């Protein structure tokens, strides 16, 4: 159902693979129907994105009633498919690239990143300070965005290894909603810290992708994997239907670049937020817990 062998490398500062017609158009259309007929969504984030998230009762119900979504979910939610993705990145980005220091052995099909709101010390406690022997799980949501949806440049959560997006609708260029890939404006020898939310003037645009039906993007969630979504204008065009997912560890990822480790430092914050909304910097020195 998914032609991942068609994914190709792009020129970028971090590993990104992209391909068109990864999912046939008729399957995309069925997926849109399935998402559209969902009676309820779990949440709405970033100014207009409604999600059905793995882990919710709503998600289980949705999967039961949606044949094709169920197939996709089952495919992604397996150790064999995770291994396929891991091997594909290893093969296509051989030397001198980013590596995860602690490879997971166990794939947990039942697990998902909790959607509970925590403050930074509760999050730190939950993640612990022993980052070896991690387990991996799939996080996935079936999403639809209306006008106004946008994402400022960021890097994803510190527990994530790979992220992927599958676009189900064609969005005309003039309507925005494009996925933008950035790089940090620094000289190559200064790579000591990677903020989660760099300022726009600290970044250069590397590439922009207008959503196309059946196109998929996979990328490694490295400390410098900066990306965002330009504001989506819903005018004479369909809503932006897509599938978003990631393979995440149950602990933070210690990334290595040319054998130099990068450790996550969670920024202290008393406010309770979803785990994936917390700020963290990647630095070459370990965090003192
Ligand atoms: Fe993201």
């Amino acid at each position: 159902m998914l032609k991942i062998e068609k994914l190709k490398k792009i020129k970028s500062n971090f590993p990104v693979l992209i391909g068109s017609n990864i999912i046939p158009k008729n399957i995309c259309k069925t997926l849109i129907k399935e998402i559209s007929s969902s009676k309820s969504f779990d949440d709405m984030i970033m100014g207009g994105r409604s999600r059905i998230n793995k882990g919710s009762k709503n998600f289980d119900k949705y999967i039961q009633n949606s044949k094709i979504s169920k197939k996709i979910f089952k495919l992604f939610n397996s150790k064999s498919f995770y291994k396929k993705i891991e091997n594909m990145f290893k093969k296509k980005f051989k030397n001198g690239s980013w590596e995860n220091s602690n490879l997971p052995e166990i794939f947990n099909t039942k697990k998902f990143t909790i959607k509970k709101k925590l403050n930074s010390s509760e999050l730190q406690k939950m993640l612990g300070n022993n980052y070896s022997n991690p387990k991996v799980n799939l996080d996935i949501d079936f999403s639809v965005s209306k006008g106004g949806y946008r994402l400022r440049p960021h890097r994803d959560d510190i527990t994530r290894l790979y992220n992927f997006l599958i676009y189900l609708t064609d969005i005309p260029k003039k309507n925005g909603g494009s996925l933008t890939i950035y790089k940090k404006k620094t000289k190559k020898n200064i790579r000591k810290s990677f903020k989660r939310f760099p300022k726009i003037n600290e970044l250069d645009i590397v590439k922009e992708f207008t959503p196309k039906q059946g196109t998929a993007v996979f990328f490694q969630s490295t400390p410098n994997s900066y990306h965002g979504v330009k504001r989506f204008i819903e005018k004479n065009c369909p809503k932006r239907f897509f599938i978003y997912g990631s393979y995440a560890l149950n602990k933070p990822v210690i990334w290595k670049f040319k054998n130099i480790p990068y450790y996550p430092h969670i920024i202290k914050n008393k406010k309770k937020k979803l785990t994936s909304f917390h700020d963290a910097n990647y630095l070459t020195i370990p965090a003192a817990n």
Side-chain angles (χ1 to χ4, degrees):
M1 185 160 47
L2 236 74
K3 300 189 185 86
I4 56 163
E5 63 282 356
K6 286 169 77 178
L7 291 165
K8 288 197 176 73
K9 251 169 119 160
I10 64 151
K11 232 185 147 193
S12 159
N13 281 32
F14 61 97
V16 182
L17 297 170
I18 178 160
S20 49
N21 300 313
I22 302 296
I23 291 197
K25 293 202 185 298
N26 60 329
I27 303 259
C28 291
K29 283 179 189 145
T30 311
L31 284 163
I32 292 173
K33 270 190 204 146
E34 290 182 355
I35 299 172
S36 303
S37 53
S38 173
K39 301 235 164 27
S40 57
F41 291 85
D42 291 311
D43 54 7
M44 190 191 269
I45 53 165
M46 287 107 179
R49 166 173 165 196
S50 302
R51 301 193 291 187
I52 307 167
N53 290 317
K54 179 188 177 191
S56 72
K57 280 200 181 118
N58 192 37
F59 182 90
D60 296 341
K61 218 187 220 167
Y62 170 74
I63 289 298
Q64 274 170 29
N65 297 325
S66 316
K67 220 172 118 195
I68 300 295
S69 300
K70 186 178 184 175
K71 259 193 172 172
I72 300 242
F73 171 58
K74 284 209 156 167
L75 174 73
F76 275 102
N77 198 28
S78 67
K79 186 171 185 176
S80 59
F81 195 74
Y82 164 72
K83 279 282 170 197
K84 250 188 198 172
I85 301 297
E86 193 183 69
N87 289 331
M88 186 172 64
F89 274 91
K90 268 194 193 147
K91 222 171 104 189
K92 297 204 190 239
F93 301 91
K94 274 180 191 145
N95 302 319
S97 195
W98 289 93
E99 271 178 299
N100 161 20
S101 307
N102 302 304
L103 285 176
E105 293 291 333
I106 295 167
F107 185 95
N108 195 339
T109 55
K110 296 255 166 12
K111 211 183 158 275
F112 52 89
T113 300
I114 58 151
K115 294 291 185 288
K116 214 167 87 186
K117 287 185 178 175
L118 304 168
N119 66 32
S120 65
S121 58
E122 289 165 333
L123 175 66
Q124 187 82 61
K125 214 168 161 190
M126 187 185 85
L127 295 172
N129 44 28
N130 174 2
Y131 297 160
S132 54
N133 299 318
K135 290 176 191 162
V136 64
N137 70 266
L138 170 77
D139 283 318
I140 193 167
D141 61 69
F142 293 83
S143 279
V144 54
S145 294
K146 57 176 187 162
Y149 171 63
R150 67 177 196 111
L151 273 177
R152 65 175 161 144
H154 67 283
R155 176 223 321 132
D156 279 0
D157 205 358
I158 53 174
T159 55
R160 291 185 174 175
L161 288 176
Y162 301 101
N163 301 313
F164 55 87
L165 286 142
I166 301 168
Y167 295 110
L168 305 176
T169 14
D170 281 319
I171 304 293
K173 218 176 169 180
K174 63 169 173 38
N175 293 77
S178 56
L179 174 74
T180 311
I181 294 198
Y182 301 89
K183 68 169 193 176
K184 212 178 139 181
K185 274 184 197 167
T186 47
K187 286 184 198 132
K188 280 200 174 162
N189 54 352
I190 325 168
R191 277 184 176 157
K192 288 204 175 129
S193 93
F194 293 102
K195 287 184 212 163
R196 176 136 193 228
F197 301 104
K199 290 193 186 81
I200 193 89
N201 60 12
E202 294 176 89
L203 301 169
D204 279 328
I205 293 180
V206 173
K207 210 159 183 134
E208 260 187 72
F209 303 103
T210 306
K212 286 267 171 301
Q213 191 167 56
T215 291
V217 182
F218 283 71
F219 63 96
Q220 232 171 331
S221 200
T222 59
N224 63 339
S225 58
Y226 297 124
H227 61 282
V229 178
K230 290 248 168 93
R231 183 179 291 278
F232 170 47
I233 304 151
E234 193 188 330
K235 200 178 165 193
N236 307 321
C237 95
K239 285 195 162 54
R240 191 179 184 276
F241 284 87
F242 62 107
I243 300 171
Y244 184 82
S246 60
Y247 287 113
L249 298 183
N250 59 337
K251 327 175 158 185
V253 183
I254 310 298
W255 287 101
K256 259 191 209 164
F257 186 79
K258 292 185 177 164
N259 271 326
I260 299 168
Y262 286 81
Y263 304 92
H265 292 237
I266 297 166
I267 310 291
K268 288 202 166 44
N269 197 316
K270 289 210 171 81
K271 213 173 140 191
K272 287 188 188 271
K273 306 192 241 191
L274 289 174
T275 57
S276 60
F277 282 36
H278 275 275
D279 196 0
N281 294 335
Y282 264 103
L283 308 177
T284 51
I285 45 164
N289 297 310

